[in-house]
């Protein structure tokens, strides 16, 4: 297999010295990749603390619009705004979680029974759980909520104390009051603890 690069042309592998030079090239490239990753991470942390959108898809209940700001690379930055058509669905999910003490699986089932349009095909427990855990709904942008898994999977969820959240609440993003959001988290943790106690009792 021939390997060509734009700047250096063909990377030869015939001689022993060629393999050594290629090793050095790849080593340098890996170092630059790590530096780039660190710069991107620092930039995303800065954006999150400032309450700015850090990229990706808009969470359900929001849509993306031009912010009027330009990045250092000349790209038009975007910001989140509340989607008035989807925001009521978010409020309904938190209402079921807090007022009715429904779990994510139960909420997904009820939403499907009510015929409420899901982000994909049908509502699933994981989708509901992700919504309930996202602090953007109380007006806070968060970074480092998940990282690439070291165990071979795609991602692993990070505990809340390791999240990097915006320093101040953005009132324009609030769909769920802060006290309701935190109450939903407490109820979810209580439910998890109850399930764990039940399993421990069964295994005795």
């Amino acid at each position: 297999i021939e390997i060509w690069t734009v700047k250096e042309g063909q990377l030869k592998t015939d001689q022993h010295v060629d393999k050594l030079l290629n090793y050095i090239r790849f080593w340098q490239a890996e170092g630059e990749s790590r530096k780039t990753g660190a710069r991107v991470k620092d930039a995303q942390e800065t954006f999150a603390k400032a309450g700015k959108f850090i990229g990706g898809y808009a969470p359900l209940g929001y849509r993306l619009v031009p912010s009027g700001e330009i990045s250092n690379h000349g790209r038009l930055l975007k910001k989140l705004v509340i989607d008035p058509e989807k925001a009521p669905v978010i409020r309904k999910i938190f209402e079921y979680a807090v007022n009715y003490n429904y779990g994510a699986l139960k909420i997904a089932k009820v939403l499907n029974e009510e015929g409420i349009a899901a982000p994909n095909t049908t509502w699933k427990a994981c989708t509901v759980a992700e919504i309930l855990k996202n602090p953007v709904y109380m007006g806070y942008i968060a970074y480092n909520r998940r990282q690439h898994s070291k165990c071979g999977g795609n991602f692993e969820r990070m505990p809340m104390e390791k999240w990097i959240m915006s320093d101040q609440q953005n009132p324009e993003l609030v769909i769920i009051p802060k006290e309701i959001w935190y109450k939903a988290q407490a109820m979810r943790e209580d439910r998890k603890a109850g399930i764990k106690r039940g399993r421990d009792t069964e295994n005795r």
Side-chain angles (χ1 to χ4, degrees):
I1 298 175
E2 295 182 356
I3 302 176
W4 293 76
T5 70
V6 174
K7 292 184 177 181
E8 299 174 339
Q10 185 179 7
L11 303 183
K12 297 185 178 297
T13 58
D14 299 333
Q15 305 297 324
H16 181 68
V17 67
D18 294 330
K19 296 180 180 180
L20 176 60
L21 291 173
N22 287 334
Y23 175 82
I24 294 174
R25 289 189 186 99
F26 298 150
W27 173 74
Q28 289 176 325
E30 182 183 2
E32 289 301 319
S33 177
R34 290 178 180 270
K35 291 178 184 178
T36 300
R39 288 195 295 269
V40 170
K41 181 178 180 182
D42 290 342
Q44 289 181 323
E45 288 183 5
T46 301
F47 268 55
K49 289 180 179 179
K52 296 182 178 180
F53 179 62
I54 58 177
Y57 296 101
L60 184 69
Y62 300 93
R63 54 189 176 87
L64 291 172
V65 299
S67 67
E69 299 182 40
I70 305 296
S71 72
N72 295 333
H73 301 288
R75 290 188 297 235
L76 179 63
L77 297 176
K78 295 184 178 181
K79 67 176 183 178
L80 294 173
V81 296
I82 294 176
D83 185 337
E85 294 183 359
K86 300 294 178 63
V89 179
I90 303 301
R91 297 188 184 98
K92 182 184 288 288
I93 289 173
F94 275 86
E95 178 185 359
Y96 283 141
V98 174
N99 296 344
Y100 295 86
N101 198 22
Y102 286 175
L105 185 61
K106 174 68 172 179
I107 295 174
K109 181 181 178 181
V110 172
L111 293 176
N112 286 323
E113 291 174 348
E114 293 179 351
I116 296 176
N120 296 314
T121 54
T122 59
W123 286 98
K124 298 179 181 178
C126 57
T127 305
V128 174
E130 182 64 26
I131 289 172
L132 289 171
K133 291 184 293 185
N134 196 337
V136 71
Y137 295 115
M138 63 170 176
Y140 287 86
I141 299 293
Y143 175 69
N144 200 45
R145 292 178 57 223
R146 61 180 186 176
Q147 290 185 352
H148 286 285
S149 176
K150 298 177 181 178
C151 303
N154 293 328
F155 293 97
E156 59 180 344
R157 302 293 176 184
M158 303 299 292
M160 192 181 301
E161 57 268 20
K162 292 189 177 182
W163 295 0
I164 297 171
M165 294 177 60
S166 48
D167 296 329
Q168 295 182 344
Q169 184 187 49
N170 183 348
E172 295 180 356
L173 295 180
V174 176
I175 296 178
I176 302 299
K178 185 188 297 187
E179 61 272 15
I180 298 299
W181 189 88
Y182 276 107
K183 185 174 182 179
Q185 309 316 303
M187 294 176 71
R188 283 174 53 81
E189 292 301 319
D190 287 344
R191 185 180 295 103
K192 288 181 183 178
I195 293 173
K196 185 178 183 303
R197 286 193 299 269
R199 289 175 179 172
D200 291 343
T201 301
E202 292 177 358
N203 294 331
R204 288 177 183 173

